[in-house]
Amino acid sequence: MTAAYRWRLAPEGLATRRQLRAMGLRPGGQDVAAQLERPRRRRGPLVAYLYRIDRAKPIRPMTPGRAEALAKAMAARRTCPVCRRDTGYCIPRSLGMCVPCHDSPDSSALAA
């Protein structure tokens, strides 16, 4: 069982994933050292997992191949499947197409 601390009362030397990332580190395969619990009304507490900073490893540098793959993935999220244009923003999954295609009068025919 890992130690549990109340919100903002964790000891020095522990950090969340986001805090590690801000320091240029990553957990590096280590197990969760402790957890923070923030109480909420009528629901269970919010939980944040903590990792030891001294066991954290440096983040891996972005390689050209990873950068290219990430650029392709983001381009796919910006490309409308209906009009095939790069919209300049990530298309909402709730719409499934860019806003102009969704708002056009014949969008119901395009979706079917």
Side-chain angles (χ1 to χ4, degrees):
M1 180 74 184
T2 59
Y5 299 100
R6 299 233 350 146
W7 201 252
R8 298 182 187 263
L9 296 178
E12 294 293 322
L14 298 177
T16 63
R17 282 182 178 270
R18 284 188 181 197
Q19 291 169 335
L20 288 175
R21 184 67 181 197
M23 294 182 234
L25 301 171
R26 61 186 169 95
Q30 65 174 299
D31 292 331
V32 173
Q35 65 184 26
L36 284 176
E37 292 183 354
R38 181 178 175 202
R40 297 189 294 179
R41 296 175 194 235
R42 300 186 190 124
R43 291 193 286 183
L46 288 175
V47 176
Y49 298 113
L50 298 172
Y51 301 91
R52 290 183 47 174
I53 296 173
D54 59 344
R55 289 188 183 173
K57 296 180 181 177
I59 57 173
R60 296 182 184 118
M62 182 66 75
T63 62
R66 287 176 62 195
E68 183 180 341
L70 182 60
K72 285 181 181 179
M74 292 307 294
R77 290 183 65 191
R78 291 190 314 261
T79 304
C80 176
V82 176
C83 64
R84 298 286 181 203
R85 286 185 289 172
D86 186 345
T87 59
Y89 56 88
C90 287
I91 295 172
R93 293 181 61 187
S94 60
L95 299 180
M97 60 185 80
C98 66
V99 175
C101 288
H102 182 265
D103 291 343
S104 68
D106 58 332
S107 67
S108 60
L110 293 173

